[in-house]
Amino acid sequence: MLFSEEENTIQIAPDAYLLKGFLLGHSQGLLKDLNLVLKANPLRHMKTPSGYHMSVAMTNCGDWGWVTDEQGYRYSQRDPVTNLPWLSMPAIFRQLATSAANSVGFDGFKPDACLVNRYAIGAKLSLHQDKDEADYSHPIVSFSLGLPALFDFGGITRDAAKQAIHLEHGDVVVWGGQSRLNYYGIRRIKAGTHPLLGPYRFNLTFRRTQN
């Protein structure tokens, strides 16, 4: 990994970066608006097409939201639980996601979806690719809040070598370009308590889903 002390930026792969502590100083605003999102569109354990309930509780905000059920993986403009449009993406979410992308060379990133994942102790996210978007030229921006996690970042095939990256509250990962379709996942969350978020890790993932 290549590290820049000046920017506190670690390059983890071609066109993929860890921004240590990028969100620190913004926790109050982020968590205030996160609570609004969770109130409007409650967290739920979505079901995969094979009938498996995910261990991670999820919801969305923005113009589009990622959903999964017996019909498959897709983006929807409406919350299937409320049948209402997702809550608009809070300005602080959009601004920080765009700023993070711009800081590592992905200029003009305009996310139209934010997937909110809540990891309880023991929850995990299996290794996978993000392939439900219409255009892979846009990066993915991922915020980490709350409990720490081990982020597995692999290659373009499932069996490619992967590295385990320690993520803490306030960290951001940005990947695109040559690494846009790399496999990634989150290992099981270990027991702990965060001073702001208790026994949980929240992950906010920003994408541009439409052309």
Side-chain angles (χ1 to χ4, degrees), residues 88-198:
S88 296
M89 191 181 303
I92 190 173
F93 286 19
R94 188 185 307 276
Q95 291 164 2
L96 287 170
T98 297
S99 178
N102 289 349
S103 74
V104 291
F106 293 107
D107 297 332
F109 177 55
K110 296 180 179 179
D112 60 7
C114 171
L115 173 63
V116 178
N117 291 340
R118 187 192 70 182
Y119 293 79
I121 293 166
K124 67 174 184 176
L125 190 64
S126 299
L127 208 64
H128 68 285
Q129 293 172 298
D130 282 354
K131 299 195 298 183
D132 299 320
E133 297 74 35
D135 184 350
Y136 300 152
S137 67
H138 304 286
I140 297 168
V141 177
S142 176
F143 292 2
S144 288
L145 300 169
L147 290 177
L150 279 178
F151 174 67
D152 282 326
F153 195 72
I156 59 173
T157 61
R158 185 180 294 276
D159 59 355
K162 59 183 181 291
Q163 54 185 309
I165 299 165
H166 183 66
L167 296 180
E168 301 175 290
H169 178 82
D171 290 348
V172 176
V173 182
V174 181
W175 68 98
Q178 298 177 66
S179 294
R180 171 59 179 77
L181 291 176
N182 284 24
Y183 278 83
Y184 70 96
I186 292 288
R187 299 188 190 182
R188 292 188 187 277
I189 302 299
K190 294 183 178 181
T193 302
H194 188 270
L196 296 176
L197 288 165

Side-chain angles (χ1 to χ4, degrees), residues 9 14 24 45 64-65 69 72 74 106 122 132 149 151 175 183 193 204:
T9 297
L24 296 180
H45 292 273
W64 295 85
D69 55 25
R74 64 194 182 279
F106 293 107
D132 299 320
F151 174 67
W175 68 98
Y183 278 83
T193 302
L204 280 57

